[in-house]
Amino acid sequence: MRDIACCRPVEPGRPVPAGRGLTRRSVLLSGIGLGLTLFGGRALSPQGVAEAVAAASPADRVLVCVSLSGGVDGLSLAPPQHDRRYDRRLRPQLWVDPATTLAMRGTDELRWHPAAASLKRLHDRGRLTLLPAVGYDGPNHSHFTSRHFYEVGATDPQGTTGWLGRYLDVVGTDHNPLQGLTLGETISPMLAASRVSVAATDRPQDYRIATPGIDGGPFHDELLRAFAALGRGTSPDPVLDAARAVHGDAVDLHGQLQARFADGPETYPEGRLGTRLADMARLLGAGLPIRCGTIDAALDFDSHANQDGSFGRQVDEVGRALEAFQSDLERRGIADRVLTLVWSEFGRRPEENGSVGTDHGAGGVAMLLGTRVRGGQLGAFPGLASLDPDGNLRATVDYRGLYCSLLEEWLEADAGPIVPGADRLERYALLA
């Protein structure tokens, strides 16, 4: 198969996405479809994937990163209650009436948007930590550039590898493409590595062995049995022997994955976020050797107009999907080894614009989800009295320090070789 470069198109004058120029290879051997696309590293056979599954440790910790693209409006998600500047003069239509909000455990400073009932339940249970103002000094208000900074783990327009990719370059192996897995059509720049291979799959349960002209039924099943028998044979010809082995490996892996996807998932909301989180829970529950997983929520929080018509619906979908995911992990008995970071590239401007929306701002929202998180709130709400020079909320948590803390506390890795300037960045207590 011809190699093709990965990642999203480049906007003129914007940073090149991390991973641009990595080759990608679909694992397609003699008509056998694996459903995985490998990025970087070496092309692997189904046998290589099966060996990685067998070598996985059930105790390995996993970090799942969920991106809420577009810039979530934190002043709507967690509206302040005692900041006198937060009123209808600032937001004539988008002001959230305190009478409609939901109490936030442990504080009377912030409350939850009325559509955030699922997030409130997670927070009340100590399963969710809210970070109300995450960012960096001198914030860039371009989606493309700010996302790039979050993906590479540095305010570096020239960054070519993702922060999770660099982590995997340190701790990963040559023979485990699932160590960094994006559930989506192409690899997340966060996972762009320089040494090891990583993978992406849009629908992992669609793994199949292609039998052109025969769609299911007894003839398809008979062909699979023939492939399996072929794989068990031997041949003095090394080329034929290798072909037999590939067919046998593919049939074995097909059976393993189909069995692992057979159990019914938790009830997830409709939409790509719910589907992808359900798939991630199944893969982790099956013991696949995933160290870092990334998911784009496939929602658009870039609410320049009519924000009141979309924000609540999207927050409800995100909350229900995350609540189902956490419940699913707990039901499977693997929740103690999975931590989820939910992030967005920036926040919105405090004042409502003329289109009943909000424009690009700073001091964005993040959340940590899991049984091991401290819960409550990390970083103070900065208030509206002292905005940055652009009139936006100031960040009280540096996202790079957050990454260092995740690497050191959760993944138990030295952040120094992974996050530029790690020794100068503040650390945050994340785990209970």
Side-chain angles (χ1 to χ4, degrees):
M1 179 177 178
R2 182 174 63 89
D3 293 344
I4 47 182
C6 82
C7 299
R8 58 181 178 252
V10 182
E11 297 175 4
R14 301 303 183 192
V16 175
R20 187 82 175 187
L22 278 180
T23 56
R24 67 183 183 186
R25 301 175 178 89
S26 292
V27 182
L28 295 172
L29 300 171
S30 302
I32 299 169
L34 180 60
L36 283 175
T37 302
L38 308 186
F39 290 81
R42 65 188 69 183
L44 299 179
S45 69
Q47 180 181 9
V49 179
E51 289 173 352
V53 171
S57 168
D60 285 345
R61 290 182 174 182
V62 180
L63 178 63
V64 176
C65 294
V66 177
S67 63
L68 305 181
S69 297
V72 175
D73 179 21
L75 285 177
S76 289
L77 180 66
Q81 299 304 293
H82 305 303
D83 193 319
R84 61 182 179 82
R85 294 168 182 79
Y86 181 74
D87 58 20
R88 287 196 182 276
R89 290 171 296 178
L90 185 73
R91 295 190 164 195
Q93 302 296 320
L94 299 179
W95 176 74
V96 182
D97 185 346
T100 68
T101 58
L102 307 174
M104 185 176 294
R105 181 184 177 188
T107 180
D108 63 354
E109 181 182 34
L110 302 175
R111 290 174 68 90
W112 290 108
H113 187 279
S118 295
L119 297 178
K120 170 183 166 55
R121 285 192 293 269
L122 287 166
H123 190 262
D124 286 348
R125 293 177 57 213
R127 297 293 194 260
L128 185 147
T129 303
L130 174 67
L131 292 75
V134 179
Y136 52 95
D137 292 338
N140 188 293
H141 302 133
S142 157
H143 291 294
F144 199 98
T145 302
S146 192
R147 257 199 325 263
H148 177 80
F149 289 168
Y150 273 83
E151 289 162 350
V152 303
T155 53
D156 176 12
Q158 307 304 315
T160 58
T161 56
W163 73 282
L164 292 177
R166 294 194 297 276
Y167 162 71
L168 293 173
D169 278 336
V170 172
V171 305
T173 67
D174 291 336
H175 301 287
N176 177 15
L178 299 180
Q179 58 205 335
L181 180 66
T182 293
L183 292 186
E185 296 176 357
T186 190
I187 199 72
S188 164
M190 277 189 167
L191 289 172
S194 63
R195 183 181 70 83
V196 300
S197 58
V198 292
T201 180
D202 197 32
R203 293 284 291 170
Q205 60 267 51
D206 288 346
Y207 169 82
R208 75 198 194 295
I209 295 181
T211 53
I214 301 176
D215 297 324
F219 294 109
H220 174 80
D221 295 340
E222 188 60 34
L223 272 176
L224 293 188
R225 284 191 287 272
F227 280 148
L230 179 66
R232 288 192 293 271
T234 59
S235 171
D237 186 318
V239 175
L240 291 177
D241 200 48
R244 288 178 183 271
V246 165
H247 280 77
D249 291 339
V251 173
D252 289 344
L253 186 59
H254 176 269
Q256 293 169 5
L257 287 180
Q258 292 301 311
R260 286 165 172 164
F261 278 98
D263 62 320
E266 201 79 14
T267 301
Y268 286 80
E270 293 183 2
R272 279 186 285 179
L273 176 58
T275 297
R276 288 170 178 174
L277 285 171
D279 287 344
M280 183 63 74
R282 290 169 178 150
L283 291 169
L284 293 172
L288 296 186
I290 299 167
R291 289 178 176 266
C292 301
T294 62
I295 294 172
D296 189 309
L299 298 169
D300 186 7
F301 283 91
D302 191 22
S303 48
H304 290 280
N306 303 316
Q307 180 175 312
D308 54 341
S310 61
F311 186 80
R313 172 182 53 79
Q314 296 195 122
V315 166
D316 175 66
E317 181 177 342
V318 169
R320 289 189 295 119
L322 292 174
E323 187 176 34
F325 181 59
Q326 183 61 33
S327 177
D328 204 353
L329 296 177
E330 293 178 16
R331 179 178 65 85
R332 295 173 186 273
I334 58 174
D336 283 351
R337 68 183 191 91
V338 181
L339 189 149
T340 303
L341 167 66
V342 183
W343 65 280
S344 193
E345 63 263 36
F346 44 59
R348 316 298 295 185
R349 288 188 63 80
E351 68 271 21
E352 179 181 321
N353 64 27
S355 302
V356 194
T358 51
D359 299 322
H360 298 179
V365 171
M367 293 175 280
L368 295 173
L369 181 69
T371 59
R372 302 287 304 279
V373 300
R374 293 178 66 89
Q377 181 176 316
L378 176 60
F381 173 69
L384 296 165
S386 179
L387 302 176
D388 73 11
D390 294 316
N392 292 311
L393 291 175
R394 296 180 183 274
T396 57
V397 169
D398 190 303
Y399 80 99
R400 297 161 297 182
L402 175 62
Y403 289 175
C404 289
S405 302
L406 286 166
L407 289 164
E408 293 169 351
E409 282 194 64
W410 180 246
L411 297 174
E412 299 179 318
D414 179 7
I418 299 167
V419 178
D423 58 332
R424 300 188 300 273
L425 295 167
E426 184 178 354
R427 302 301 198 267
Y428 309 100
L430 307 180
L431 305 183

